[in-house]
Every structure is written in C-alpha cells, then in structure tokens.
C-alpha cells in the first residue's frame, strides 16, 4: 500500500474517464500497478481490461471506495461538476495520512457554459474546495491540469511538457511528483502552495482556447529552470 518501489500502486478515482484512462495506460506501461475506480465496479473492470490491453501492464478495476484504500496517494480525475459528490462519498473512506491529488478544473462547461471559461469557486480553486471537503488528516495536492488526455492515451505519442504541482507541504508534493515523473516526458514542477492552484487551473481553458485555434493538443513548458530537485 505504497507508491514507493519498483511497482507502486496508483489508484485513479473516476478512472474510466478520458484523463483517468490516459494516466492508467501511461503508468501501467511504465510498470506501475494501476487501480481504476468507478461508481460501478463492472464498468471499472471493463475499463481496466481495455487499459491493460493497450498498455500491456497491470490494471485492475473496482469501486471508487475500494480503490481509495489501495495506496497512500490517490488521484481524483473527475470533472469539476462531479467533484463534490465524489468527495462526499469518500469522506468515510479516505484516512488520515493519505494524499489526494485533485485534477479538477472549474470549467464553465460544468454549467453548460464554454470550456474556455471558468466559474468562480468560493474557496478559491477546485483544489481548495477538495481540501475543505477532505477528512481531517488527508492532504490535497493539485496537479495534471494541463496535459492532454488524448495525448496520454496514445502511447505512441511522445510527451514533452511540464506539470505544475501545488500543495502546502513539500514532502507531499515530492511524493506526487515522483509518480508523475514515472511517465516519460512529463516533468513535475513545484508551483507553490495549494492556493496557487487557482492560477494553475486557469491554464486549462487557456490551452483549450489555443488548441481550438491551432487544432492541436498543446501542453506547457517552463524555460530556464535550474537542475536539481525542487521538491527535496
């Protein structure tokens, strides 16, 4: 039940969606054991079988509640409109000491608006809302808002981009960064406190707008960063 070692266990809640499936394939292809979570166990198993077939790795499916108990670092990859429901359902499942990685973006599409706009979140960001709803002792880290789900799912596509990671504890961000770093072509970048997620989440509609105009799946890259581990 740890993310450390040659074969980490990585639960992905809401893992039947586009982002969750793409991450599952990349991590499985890299040698991790992936646990795909869904509200429906049958759907989770079906998605896991498909991801395993594409990646040739170890992917299993189970309910979100079961998946959330499988490791200390858990990824939540659902649209913002579903975040509150998931956090409510997980309240009695997540335990003290776990890290929940929230990938939600408050796109206006959640309320039938444009995907190139965001909606206001009282807490400041989707990640801060997740932290407010998380059980005591569970830490939220924010990441993976800017990588294309379709690029992740296409294992023949060579990734080369940076992933901002936001959180209030450097040690927690380091653990998440270690898992992101297992995906070839993704470089985790220490973007600061969880509060900074309100800025990072705004990059998603910006990229959507750019991608519409250029008909591509652009990511982001930071220049001039020195060598060394900014999470240590």
């Amino acid at each position: 039940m740890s993310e450390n070692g040659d074969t980490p266990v990585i639960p992905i809640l809401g893992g039947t969606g586009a982002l969750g499936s793409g991450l599952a394939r990349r991590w499985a292809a890299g040698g991790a054991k992936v646990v795909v979570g869904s509200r429906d166990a049958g759907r989770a198993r079906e998605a896991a079988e498909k991801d395993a077939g594409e990646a040739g790795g170890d992917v299993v499916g189970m309910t979100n509640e079961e998946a959330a108990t499988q490791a200390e670092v858990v990824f939540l990859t659902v649209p913002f409109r579903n975040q509150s429901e998931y956090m409510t359902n997980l309240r009695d499942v997540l335990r003290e000491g776990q890290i929940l990685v929230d990938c939600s973006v408050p796109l206006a599409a959640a309320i039938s608006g444009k995907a190139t706009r965001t909606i206001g979140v009282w807490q400041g960001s989707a990640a801060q809302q997740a932290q407010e709803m998380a059980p005591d002792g569970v830490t939220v880290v924010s990441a993976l808002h800017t990588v294309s789900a379709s690029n992740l799912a296409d294992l023949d596509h060579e990734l080369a981009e940076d992933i901002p990671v936001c959180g209030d504890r450097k040690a927690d961000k380091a653990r998440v960064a270690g898992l992101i770093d297992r995906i070839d072509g993704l470089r985790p970048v220490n973007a600061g406190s969880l509060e900074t997620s309100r800025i990072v989440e705004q990059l998603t509609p910006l990229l959507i707008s750019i991608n519409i105009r250029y008909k591509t799946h652009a990511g982001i890259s930071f220049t001039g960063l020195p060598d060394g581990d900014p999470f240590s």
Side-chain angles (χ1 to χ4, degrees), residues 5-152:
D6 294 333
T7 309
V9 177
I10 307 178
I12 306 176
L13 311 185
T16 60
L19 177 59
S21 179
L23 289 170
R25 294 178 187 187
R26 291 284 178 165
W27 273 319
K33 177 179 179 180
V34 179
V35 183
V36 172
S38 174
R39 284 175 287 195
D40 180 82
R43 187 180 178 198
R45 289 191 291 269
E46 182 179 339
E49 183 178 349
K50 183 176 180 180
D51 292 336
E54 292 288 337
D58 187 357
V59 188
V60 298
M62 56 186 69
T63 66
N64 288 311
E65 289 77 12
E66 292 173 314
T69 67
Q70 301 302 304
E72 295 173 350
V73 180
V74 179
F75 288 78
L76 181 63
T77 61
V78 299
F80 179 71
R81 63 178 176 271
N82 301 120
Q83 187 208 58
S84 179
E85 174 194 350
Y86 272 65
M87 293 302 300
T88 298
N89 293 340
L90 293 168
R91 185 176 296 277
D92 295 328
V93 179
L94 295 172
R95 63 188 183 280
E96 183 175 357
Q98 281 186 296
I99 299 170
L100 179 72
V101 185
D102 182 66
C103 310
S104 306
V105 177
L107 296 176
I111 54 172
S112 301
K114 294 184 178 181
T116 53
R117 298 176 181 173
T118 55
I119 56 177
V121 181
W122 181 263
Q123 294 83 352
S125 67
Q128 288 171 293
Q129 176 173 281
Q131 183 65 81
E132 184 176 274
M133 297 187 69
D136 291 342
V138 174
T139 302
V140 171
V141 170
S142 173
L144 295 164
H145 303 93
T146 57
V147 63
S148 163
S150 61
N151 283 349
L152 285 171

Side-chain angles (χ1 to χ4, degrees), residues 109-226:
I111 54 172
S112 301
K114 294 184 178 181
T116 53
R117 298 176 181 173
T118 55
I119 56 177
V121 181
W122 181 263
Q123 294 83 352
S125 67
Q128 288 171 293
Q129 176 173 281
Q131 183 65 81
E132 184 176 274
M133 297 187 69
D136 291 342
V138 174
T139 302
V140 171
V141 170
S142 173
L144 295 164
H145 303 93
T146 57
V147 63
S148 163
S150 61
N151 283 349
L152 285 171
D154 180 5
L155 297 180
D156 292 327
H157 179 83
E158 185 175 340
L159 300 170
E161 57 190 272
D162 293 332
I163 303 297
V165 180
C166 304
D168 292 334
R169 294 180 57 192
K170 186 178 288 187
D172 293 338
K173 288 187 287 186
R175 294 172 71 181
V176 174
L179 294 176
I180 294 172
D181 197 45
R182 292 183 66 92
I183 299 178
D184 289 341
L186 296 188
R187 179 177 66 164
V189 173
N190 189 343
S193 67
L194 193 66
E195 182 179 24
T196 310
S197 186
R198 67 181 67 187
I199 300 171
V200 176
E201 291 170 19
Q202 301 299 316
L203 295 176
T204 301
L206 171 64
L207 286 171
I208 291 173
S209 181
I210 291 171
N211 289 335
I212 290 172
R213 285 160 176 79
Y214 285 85
K215 295 180 173 58
T216 187
H217 299 287
I220 63 171
S221 180
F222 297 100
T223 63
L225 295 183

